[in-house]
Amino acid sequence: MKREKDVTGAAGSDDGREAPGGASRPSGSARAARAPKSEQTRTLILETALRLFQERGYDRTTMRAIAKEAGVSVGNAYYYFSSKEHLVQGFYDRIAAEHREAVRPVLDRETGLEARMAGVLRVWLDVAGPYHEFAAQFFKNAADPESPLSPFSPESEHAREAAISVHREVLAGSRSKVADELVDILPELMWLSQMGLVLYWVFDRSQDSERSRRLADRGARLTTRGVALSRFRPLRPLVREVHELFTDFLPGMAEAAVTRRVRGGGRQGDGREDADVPEDLDGDGGRPQAPRPAG
């Protein structure tokens, strides 16, 4: 017997729970009711697909099965999503949009880079939590850099850029000083560190992903110190080389780097930054940091 199901589905549905940061998040059905019919249909297909991916596995779920469960024609399903891969891209876009909305209280409240970075990573874990089992289902597909499901693929550019833009805001709104030539590079490296956290989280079976949360805090601390050290001019070529290593070998990032160079978006230092090693290795303008939790 087919289960009766809300439009939002079971896997990763928004059920009116409290959003990270304390704000009440509207339910998926409430959002769908306010959207045009075409958007409601698109949401229905996506939610149904996410539920079936979790229940049956990504490889064993067909577009025909998704259409049947959603109560739409196969042609209608393909009209909104031309393949299963595009459904996963829809999932990526949803996570990115929910994360950007949920981090607002953190970015409005915190000015220290470590606190901003740790907050953004922890909020991502909160937003992604309902999708944990689903993420493990399709990870073997997403782990291939050549797969369209990879977060590094050209197909994932929209979601990737949305996520990197959060890190640009993390850096720009902090008290940390950043060399002009690294302003475009550092947010991408910060996002790559988040991808390392995501990889760990996919296989983290600790209660409420507690180990991933500890990793987020410690990773934010190391990232903040790395940003502070990048103010030291002799270390900047090393930062650029690390960035080039990823852009040369990850297809989507390589294309983005070429596009940025064509647009002239890359910045060069103008010699105004301090050449001395910064005294504040926490990157927060020399102000005292809040006590850090153990571990």
Side-chain angles (χ1 to χ4, degrees):
M1 179 183 298
K2 188 168 91 174
R3 291 184 300 172
E4 292 185 1
K5 180 61 60 179
D6 183 271
V7 170
T8 57
S13 65
D14 289 331
D15 54 5
R17 65 188 181 277
E18 185 175 278
S24 178
R25 177 186 296 161
S27 67
S29 56
R31 287 200 305 268
R34 295 195 300 265
K37 182 172 176 56
S38 60
E39 186 60 30
Q40 292 181 42
T41 303
R42 187 180 191 278
T43 299
L44 169 63
I45 295 169
L46 177 59
E47 294 287 0
T48 302
L50 295 181
R51 174 166 59 83
L52 292 183
F53 289 159
Q54 184 166 5
E55 292 176 354
R56 305 179 184 181
Y58 176 79
D59 291 332
R60 291 191 297 273
T61 301
T62 65
M63 288 292 287
R64 183 172 296 277
I66 293 168
K68 180 179 180 181
E69 190 77 6
V72 301
S73 68
V74 176
N76 205 10
Y78 275 109
Y79 173 80
Y80 289 99
F81 298 95
S82 61
S83 66
K84 286 199 303 181
E85 287 80 6
H86 281 86
L87 279 160
V88 175
Q89 295 301 330
F91 164 68
Y92 288 163
D93 289 339
R94 164 177 293 187
I95 285 284
E98 289 188 3
H99 183 232
R100 186 169 189 85
E101 178 183 348
V103 298
R104 182 51 47 199
V106 173
L107 298 182
D108 288 346
R109 180 180 66 249
E110 304 291 350
T111 57
L113 180 57
E114 181 178 338
R116 289 168 73 83
M117 183 76 178
V120 161
L121 295 178
R122 279 180 163 266
V123 168
W124 189 91
L125 293 172
D126 291 335
V127 169
Y131 306 100
H132 195 191
E133 294 304 319
F134 164 61
Q137 288 280 351
F138 79 92
F139 176 75
K140 66 179 184 296
N141 301 89
D144 179 1
E146 299 296 331
S147 167
L149 301 187
S150 168
F152 305 107
S153 70
E155 291 84 355
S156 299
E157 180 180 7
H158 184 269
R160 182 172 59 250
E161 281 302 309
I164 292 173
S165 71
V166 171
H167 289 286
R168 290 194 186 101
E169 190 171 356
V170 167
L171 194 60
S174 73
R175 296 189 299 264
S176 297
K177 296 179 180 179
V178 178
D180 284 352
E181 63 193 279
L182 302 182
V183 165
D184 292 319
I185 291 175
L186 289 175
E188 293 187 0
L189 292 176
M190 291 161 68
W191 173 77
L192 283 167
S193 73
Q194 178 180 326
M195 289 300 97
L197 173 66
V198 171
L199 172 60
Y200 185 86
W201 167 79
V202 166
F203 299 104
D204 182 9
R205 294 295 177 261
S206 62
Q207 183 68 30
D208 194 30
S209 300
E210 181 56 32
R211 292 182 65 84
S212 294
R213 296 177 187 280
R214 290 170 56 196
L215 178 60
D217 290 342
R218 295 182 68 173
R221 188 183 313 167
L222 287 174
T223 298
T224 300
R225 292 181 177 179
V227 169
L229 286 171
S230 72
R231 288 166 53 193
F232 186 33
R233 189 171 290 108
L235 293 179
R236 294 176 201 165
L238 177 61
V239 176
R240 290 196 299 270
E241 187 170 347
V242 170
H243 181 262
E244 289 170 4
L245 177 68
F246 287 105
T247 57
D248 285 347
F249 288 95
L250 296 175
M253 295 193 68
E255 292 186 11
V258 170
T259 302
R260 186 170 58 245
R261 284 196 294 269
V262 170
R263 290 199 310 257
R267 306 187 185 198
Q268 298 297 321
D270 58 7
R272 290 180 298 177
E273 298 85 3
D274 296 334
D276 297 328
V277 178
E279 294 179 5
D280 170 30
L281 292 184
D282 289 318
D284 290 313
R287 300 189 187 187
Q289 293 290 296
R292 301 187 179 104

